[in-house]
Amino acid sequence: MFLAASCAQGATQIEGLKALLRLQPAGLQLTPGWFPVPGFRELLDRVRLPVRLHDGFSWTAYRRPVWGEGRLLLGRAGAGHSLHPPRRPWEGWLETAVQAGYAVEVMPPGRALSTAPELERALELRAPLALDIAHLHLLALAGVSDRVLRRILDSPDVAEVHVSASDGRVDAHLPATRDSWLAGWALERKADGVPLIVECRFQGLDPGERERALEAFR
């Protein structure tokens, strides 16, 4: 079980890392949202946990841009790097991400990679997919068909699974439980070796509540 840096959004890199390490994850996903601190990379090297990168993470900035006007601003992906689609997508953006080696995240309604035609195109391209069970819940509620969702869930190209719960209206990043929508599927994928990344927000949760938010997915 990986923990996402977004669990401790708004911390410094050192504070955020310490908050996640207290929960003894098997790995970390570094995301935008931590304020940079000198020495963070060297400290992380000493931790010796598997690390994945997400979207516009930067070692030296709160966030770095990922997409420009009609182009990807990042170089080729390293192992385990996923990203969000561009806010203003253009024809061919998905092919660009796939050719550069990135996994792309299926998004909630209203964003790129959230409609049935876009999802079917991603399947045709064999795009590596980051699937967030809260996003998929919102897509189901918005009317994406069971057939399309089933094809996504059964895809052999799922690169990582993100775990949190929605409130049925927005992507609220609430703690998920074994009873959450698609939690069982997420655990099956984890058992198959797909990285499972918990990304519920810790703000407002005491230490016991944080631990209980992870119990179902260890």
Side-chain angles (χ1 to χ4, degrees), residues 95-205:
E95 290 83 349
T96 296
V98 171
Q99 289 165 9
Y102 291 91
V104 289
E105 185 167 2
V106 172
M107 300 302 285
R111 293 285 305 275
L113 203 56
S114 67
T115 66
E118 290 171 321
L119 298 175
E120 290 177 328
R121 177 61 178 156
L123 292 169
E124 290 170 6
L125 288 174
R126 297 292 306 271
L129 298 173
L131 296 186
D132 183 315
I133 63 173
H135 294 181
L136 294 175
H137 186 202
L138 293 169
L139 292 180
L141 293 173
V144 174
S145 71
D146 290 345
R147 179 189 65 82
V148 172
L149 289 174
R150 189 73 259 166
R151 287 189 65 199
I152 290 290
L153 294 172
D154 290 342
S155 170
D157 301 309
V158 177
E160 59 189 39
V161 174
H162 299 182
V163 170
S164 67
S166 80
D167 61 4
R169 294 175 292 122
V170 297
D171 184 24
H173 288 263
L174 301 172
T177 70
R178 284 184 181 269
D179 295 325
S180 296
W181 201 78
L182 289 181
W185 170 85
L187 287 166
E188 289 173 3
R189 282 297 179 127
K190 177 175 179 275
D192 291 337
V194 176
L196 182 149
I197 300 160
V198 174
E199 56 175 29
C200 62
R201 293 199 175 105
F202 285 162
Q203 287 88 340
L205 302 182

Side-chain angles (χ1 to χ4, degrees), residues 2-13 15-17 19-20 27-35 40 51-54 57 62 173 197-203:
F2 285 67
L3 275 179
S6 57
C7 292
Q9 191 88 12
T12 69
Q13 289 173 334
E15 291 167 343
L17 179 62
L20 299 192
L28 302 170
Q29 184 188 65
L30 301 181
T31 71
W34 284 354
F35 294 99
F40 171 65
V51 171
R52 302 177 70 83
L53 302 182
H54 184 60
F57 168 76
Y62 189 81
H173 288 263
I197 300 160
V198 174
E199 56 175 29
C200 62
R201 293 199 175 105
F202 285 162
Q203 287 88 340

